[in-house]
Amino acid sequence: SYELTQPLSVSVALGQTTRITCGGDNIGTKNVHWYQQKPGQAPVLVIFRDTNRPSGIPERFSASNSGNTATLTISRAQAGDEADYYCQVWDTSFTYVFGAGTKVTVL
Amino acid sequence: EVQVLESGGGLVQPGGSLRLSCAASGFTFQYYAMNWVRQAPGQGLEWVSTISGSGDTTFYADSVKGRFTISRDNSRNTLYLQLTSLRVTDTAVYYCAKEGAGTYHFDHWGQGTLVTVSS
């Protein structure tokens, strides 16, 4: 089965930029989606189809996908960006696969 | 505004059954596949099941295949998940999630309903 690898945690200084990676075999050939989940809340879609932001998601959130790594970038980090972030792909065996999640701490 | 609202969670003994519901509004329900995703306490997200817009095609994670049944009533804009032969490891918040258009992702989520399996 397909697996996605994310770092357990990352930290970023207020106002700075952080990047969250999502590794997978030839992940660049798949559509990658990203979700933000704040404590006690449901996940929220922040990026779909590699690079697209849903309406209402700030431009500070961007993403890329190439080779074996997809990356979510949070620019000008704010305290409200503290959350768990999950990457997700759809596998050809009709399985939706999530990464284990990355906890982002804003210092 | 798209809204999905789950209900039906609770405490159940191992081996027991439960039916979850998800009421949808704000979009043409029958046009979209719908999903259940769960999250065990302190853990990550796990896809559980998907049903097509018409209801005639369903998919399940291996961990629940043969025990859970997904269904929908398009006349009531409601999604269901029947849970049987429940195990302690099925304890989780169960989220209803609308399928996004085109590329197999979840564009709107409910707040979730907690299922606790314990004796």
Side-chain angles (χ1 to χ4, degrees), chain A residues 3-32:
Chain A
E3 293 185 359
L4 296 172
T5 301
Q6 295 184 240
L8 197 60
S9 64
V10 299
S11 59
V12 57
L14 190 67
Q16 297 303 304
T17 297
T18 190
R19 294 172 179 83
I20 303 163
T21 57
C22 176
D25 185 36
N26 282 322
I27 196 173
T29 64
K30 299 180 179 295
N31 289 298
V32 179

Side-chain angles (χ1 to χ4, degrees), chain A residues 81-94:
Chain A
D81 298 333
E82 279 206 346
D84 294 326
Y85 291 83
Y86 295 89
C87 57
Q88 176 253 313
V89 300
W90 181 79
D91 190 37
T92 51
S93 60
F94 208 102

Side-chain angles (χ1 to χ4, degrees), chain A residues 31 33 35 37 40-45 48-49 86 88-90 94-96 98-100, chain B residues 35 37 39 43-47 50 59 95 99 101-107 109-111:
Chain A
N31 289 298
H33 319 287
Y35 304 88
Q37 186 179 33
Q41 298 185 19
V44 172
L45 178 71
F48 66 99
R49 219 179 298 143
Y86 295 89
Q88 176 253 313
V89 300
W90 181 79
F94 208 102
T95 303
Y96 294 78
F98 288 97
Chain B
N35 306 270
V37 177
Q39 186 171 35
Q43 302 301 307
L45 301 171
E46 180 190 16
W47 168 75
T50 298
F59 301 93
Y95 293 103
E99 186 86 15
T103 47
Y104 301 108
H105 63 280
F106 313 109
D107 65 357
W109 300 63
Q111 283 305 302

